[in-house]
Amino acid sequence: MKTIEQAYIPAYFAAERKKPIVHRFFAWCKAQEKSRLAWLGIIIAGHGCVFTPLTILFIVLSGNNPIFWPFAIGSMGMALVTNLAALPTRVTLPIFFLSLLIDLVIIVNCLALGFTTSVAG
């Protein structure tokens, strides 16, 4: 007696695989090319006027640790340079979100160190 080697799967049962979230994120970034100028304004104004000054404020209030300064300035720099180089949004948006993540990590570390209001000297 022969065995059946192929399993029977009805056509309606075949599950559609979702793409991983990373692929969907990069597809979204590529689709944002039509809003490139708006993203440029959001990145430069938002990072330069809100996120970086806020990060620097947290650094200064938590004791002015010199380790955090290059990371804060570097995260602003990488967001600025990619936009000034007129790279496509599939490059600028992931770098922008990475720079926001760096700023967030710095702020969390500053909160973990605690705030000091006394002036040494």
Side-chain angles (χ1 to χ4, degrees), residues 1 7 13 15 17 24 27 39 52-53 72 83 86 99 102-104 109:
M1 183 161 204
F13 188 71
R17 289 193 142 199
R24 287 185 281 160
W39 278 109
T52 300
N83 278 297
S99 68
I102 291 170
D103 284 345
L104 184 66
N109 281 323

Side-chain angles (χ1 to χ4, degrees), residues 74-110:
S75 70
M76 172 61 192
M78 67 186 200
L80 181 68
V81 167
T82 56
N83 278 297
L84 292 180
L87 293 175
T89 55
R90 64 183 170 88
V91 175
T92 58
L93 290 179
I95 289 178
F96 172 61
F97 290 124
L98 176 66
S99 68
L100 289 182
L101 180 68
I102 291 170
D103 284 345
L104 184 66
V105 167
I106 291 172
I107 290 172
V108 167
N109 281 323
C110 289

Side-chain angles (χ1 to χ4, degrees), residues 43-61 69 72-73 75-76 100 103 106-107 110:
I43 292 170
I44 291 177
H47 223 309
C49 298
V50 178
F51 297 116
T52 300
L54 187 66
T55 305
I56 298 300
L57 177 70
F58 274 92
I59 290 171
V60 170
L61 290 178
W69 279 94
I73 301 304
S75 70
M76 172 61 192
L100 289 182
D103 284 345
I106 291 172
I107 290 172
C110 289

